[in-house]
């Protein structure tokens, strides 16, 4: 089977080539993102492998179909970037990686919380310039703080486990409650109650039309003044401009983002020699109480190993039976 990878980085080749020793597929790696303009590059492939910021809209899927692509393998959990109705109508099977080392994203979430709270990034830069003053670096204890987890799936649950270890009270909101969350001492509450009680709010839910801009001006107004907001899930969950206004007013005291709603134009690219054209992203980076990383929550050896193995296993199932247990459509 020939598989063409889009938005491929050097580390994708490293981990997929290693996993492919057990599968024997023909893998081809393309740096180009997948969209209607680049779909022609898939010619000759039975399957394409896409990532979070590839745009598999109706036009792209029709183009893939014209070039003979039968299967789309997402090397990620989310599938909001795919027009599933069009895929189904065209007979293109879409598979994903529903779970991979949830601890990877959970631990990155805690890294963001601790770094932003204790100003570790600012302290590091100060000390390198021989400035050992502590003014402006005051943090707070996580112990006995209330943390709201929105989305208590595998990643949200892993995050909650770590936070309970810090002595936090953990509140959860999820349309599909988990017994495992209750078992570790978590408490499910209404969303408005979570907003009003939590000192820290962490997002761990997939993006859908129903929860686009879940964190908007109205939601932020319900939160504690000075709340810490963390998003390691999907950028579209947060209304960026509402967050900027709340940062300016002090309603949001800390903001940590590993994702951004317009990230497809910027993330996973080196733009250090270019002018950043996104005014909202540029504005966010001027705040001393904002910490942004470039969608690296998944970026551990364990997670990348699992992603590669599961993705190729999905393709083998499709190749052998035209059905897969991780099939979206």
């Amino acid at each position: 089977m020939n598989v063409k990878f889009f938005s491929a980085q050097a580390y994708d080749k490293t981990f997929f080539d290693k996993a492919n020793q057990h599968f024997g597929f023909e893998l081809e790696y393309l740096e180009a993102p997948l969209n209607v303009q680049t779909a022609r590059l898939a010619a000759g492939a039975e399957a394409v492998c896409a990532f979070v910021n590839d745009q598999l809209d109706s036009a792209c899927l029709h183009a893939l179909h014209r070039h003979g692509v039968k299967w789309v393998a997402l090397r990620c959990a989310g599938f909001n970037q795919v027009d599933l109705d069009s895929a189904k109508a065209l007979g293109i099977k879409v598979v994903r990686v529903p779970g991979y080392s949830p601890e990877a994203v959970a631990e990155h979430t805690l890294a963001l919380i601790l770094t932003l709270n204790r100003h570790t990034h600012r302290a590091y830069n100060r000390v390198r310039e021989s400035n050992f003053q502590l003014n402006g670096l005051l943090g707070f204890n996580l112990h006995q703080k209330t943390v709201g987890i929105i989305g208590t799936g595998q990643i949200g649950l892993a995050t909650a486990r770590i936070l309970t270890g810090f002595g936090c009270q953990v509140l959860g909101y999820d349309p599909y409650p988990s017994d495992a969350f209750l078992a570790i001492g978590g408490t499910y509450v209404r969303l408005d109650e979570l907003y009003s009680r939590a000192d820290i709010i962490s997002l761990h839910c997939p993006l859908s039309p129903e929860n686009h801009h879940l964190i908007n001006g109205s939601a932020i107004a319900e939160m504690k003044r000075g709340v810490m907001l963390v998003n390691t899930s999907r950028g579209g969950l947060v209304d960026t401009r509402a967050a900027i206004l709340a940062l300016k007013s002090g309603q949001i005291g800390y903001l940590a983002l590993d994702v951004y709603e317009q990230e497809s134009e910027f993330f996973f690219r080196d733009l250090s020699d270019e002018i950043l054209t996104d005014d909202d992203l540029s504005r966010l980076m001027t705040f001393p109480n904002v910490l942004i990383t470039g969608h690296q929550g998944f970026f551990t050896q364990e997670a990348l190993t699992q992603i590669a193995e599961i993705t190729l296993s999905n393709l083998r199932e499709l190749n052998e039976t035209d059905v897969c247990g991780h099939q979206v459509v």
Side-chain angles (χ1 to χ4, degrees):
M1 182 199 305
N2 178 277
V3 185
K4 291 194 178 182
F5 286 68
F6 286 81
S7 300
Q9 303 287 338
Y11 49 80
D12 290 312
K13 179 173 172 47
T14 297
F15 283 89
F16 275 91
D17 280 353
K18 183 177 180 180
N20 194 43
Q21 294 174 13
H22 305 292
F23 296 89
F25 296 146
E26 180 184 345
L27 308 183
E28 185 176 343
Y29 301 94
L30 305 173
E31 291 185 14
L34 178 55
N35 53 48
V36 66
Q37 286 80 27
T38 61
R40 59 184 173 78
L41 299 175
E46 295 173 84
V48 296
C49 186
F51 198 44
V52 292
N53 291 324
D54 291 321
Q55 299 173 21
L56 289 94
D57 54 17
S58 180
C60 177
L61 290 167
H62 275 82
L64 291 175
H65 184 258
R66 286 196 299 272
H67 289 294
V69 172
K70 298 189 294 184
W71 304 311
V72 170
L74 302 174
R75 57 185 187 274
C76 54
F79 49 89
N80 57 283
Q81 69 274 45
V82 184
D83 184 331
L84 298 181
D85 291 336
S86 292
K88 184 176 182 179
L90 292 167
I92 295 177
K93 304 290 177 64
V94 180
V95 293
R96 66 180 182 127
V97 182
Y100 53 87
S101 186
E103 291 76 19
V105 181
E107 290 170 12
H108 189 67
T109 300
L110 264 293
L112 293 176
I113 290 172
L114 289 169
T115 299
L116 192 53
N117 172 28
R118 302 305 296 267
H119 308 283
T120 314
H121 54 312
R122 299 175 64 200
Y124 172 80
N125 288 325
R126 279 192 191 184
V127 168
R128 286 177 62 84
E129 296 178 355
S130 301
N131 179 355
F132 301 98
Q133 283 195 338
L134 300 182
N135 294 330
L137 304 181
L138 186 66
F140 58 83
N141 288 0
L142 284 183
H143 184 67
Q144 294 188 337
K145 291 297 185 294
T146 299
V147 182
I149 305 290
I150 300 179
T152 57
Q154 294 186 57
I155 296 173
L157 180 61
T159 305
R161 285 197 187 101
I162 298 171
L163 288 164
T164 57
F166 276 83
C168 297
Q169 179 186 11
V170 180
L171 306 178
Y173 173 80
D174 197 308
Y176 306 98
S178 161
D179 290 339
F181 181 75
L182 297 173
I184 64 170
T187 303
Y188 281 107
V189 295
R190 299 186 315 275
L191 194 54
D192 59 344
E193 183 177 350
L194 185 148
Y195 288 154
S196 65
R197 291 177 56 187
D199 302 296
I200 300 169
I201 295 174
S202 191
L203 306 179
H204 299 285
C205 46
L207 180 64
S208 68
E210 292 73 29
N211 65 15
H212 181 256
H213 283 180
L214 174 71
I215 305 302
N216 53 32
S218 298
I220 293 169
E222 295 183 49
M223 298 175 189
K224 284 187 175 182
R225 183 169 178 80
V227 67
M228 178 184 286
L229 179 64
V230 184
N231 188 9
T232 55
S233 188
R234 287 290 181 267
L237 294 171
V238 177
D239 181 338
T240 304
R241 294 189 178 180
I244 289 172
L245 289 174
L247 284 162
K248 291 170 68 175
S249 72
Q251 178 65 14
I252 292 179
Y254 311 80
L255 178 65
L257 302 175
D258 187 47
V259 290
Y260 174 62
E261 58 180 326
Q262 304 298 331
E263 69 177 61
S264 61
E265 299 178 38
F266 308 102
F267 283 16
F268 307 110
R269 299 170 60 194
D270 181 0
L271 303 176
S272 56
D273 292 329
E274 301 181 27
I275 302 298
L276 193 60
T277 57
D278 187 300
D279 291 342
D280 291 337
L281 184 56
S282 297
R283 183 68 178 98
L284 282 173
M285 292 194 294
T286 67
F287 290 98
N289 53 344
V290 172
L291 180 61
I292 299 174
T293 52
H295 205 141
Q296 72 178 79
F298 75 101
F299 201 58
T300 68
Q301 295 180 21
E302 293 82 358
L304 287 174
T305 297
Q306 291 181 25
I307 288 169
E309 291 176 349
I310 295 171
T311 299
L312 296 183
S313 292
N314 288 344
L315 287 170
R316 181 169 61 186
E317 283 189 51
L318 287 174
N319 192 42
E320 293 177 351
T321 67
D322 202 33
V323 177
C324 176
H326 297 151
Q327 193 169 317
V328 180
V329 66

